[in-house]
Amino acid sequence: MSNSLKHLSANTAKDLLKLMRELPNRRCCDCNVELNDMVNIYGSVVIGCFVCINCKQIHESLQPPLPCKAVYLDNWTSEELETVCCMGNKKTNEIYERYMPAAWSKPTPDADQGEIKKWIKAKYEVKLFMVPIL
């Protein structure tokens, strides 16, 4: 087991490592930046996706806030682990981006922080892309 995961139970650490090996979870769910800095990978424990440190800060600023935990540094409850195991980035995006209007586009890793914040608020706070716009 990785030294950075020693504080977690063996099963929790194993489950988190397995999730982080899945291709969709290797990139931030919201800005698509590669998640390769082990210290700065976060799980949005209500939504069940993996995000970078910048998007984590936006998740936690939403109303209501979407709490995040560091994958390799924080302790996880069994409920939080179950949420990310059931969801992950692929399923999260299938649900929260299902009806994305043509006028919108997902931010790229080099996008302006304001653009990323606008996207995350529309995606999770307003839930703009979850229902079709008629």
Side-chain angles (χ1 to χ4, degrees):
M1 181 184 329
S2 167
N3 285 337
S4 59
L5 297 173
K6 284 190 175 183
H7 67 285
L8 299 173
S9 74
N11 286 339
T12 300
K14 186 177 91 176
D15 289 341
L16 283 170
L17 284 172
K18 181 180 175 190
L19 284 169
M20 292 311 304
R21 287 188 187 111
E22 293 176 11
L23 194 57
N25 297 333
R26 291 185 189 178
R27 292 195 164 274
C28 177
C29 191
D30 296 317
C31 74
N32 209 34
V33 72
E34 187 175 357
L35 298 174
N36 56 11
D37 178 1
M38 291 177 74
V39 176
N40 290 314
I41 301 173
Y42 295 86
S44 186
V45 296
V46 173
I47 300 294
C49 64
F50 296 96
V51 295
C52 67
I53 190 167
N54 294 327
C55 291
K56 167 227 185 253
Q57 292 168 341
I58 299 169
H59 275 240
E60 292 180 337
S61 74
L62 296 177
Q63 294 304 318
L66 297 176
C68 297
K69 288 196 171 182
V71 170
Y72 296 103
L73 299 175
D74 290 334
N75 289 314
W76 288 61
T77 67
S78 57
E79 293 83 14
E80 292 164 343
L81 183 60
E82 185 176 341
T83 299
V84 295
C85 285
C86 290
M87 291 297 289
N89 289 1
K90 183 175 188 239
K91 191 168 187 176
T92 296
N93 285 335
E94 287 171 353
I95 293 168
Y96 286 90
E97 297 176 8
R98 184 171 184 180
Y99 296 105
M100 186 172 54
W104 283 82
S105 61
K106 189 168 185 161
T108 59
D110 60 345
D112 173 83
Q113 193 68 11
E115 182 183 336
I116 296 170
K117 184 172 186 171
K118 181 179 171 185
W119 168 263
I120 291 173
K121 285 179 71 91
K123 183 175 176 179
Y124 301 111
E125 197 173 79
V126 180
K127 297 179 174 68
L128 185 63
F129 315 132
M130 289 182 73
V131 293
I133 297 175
L134 304 173

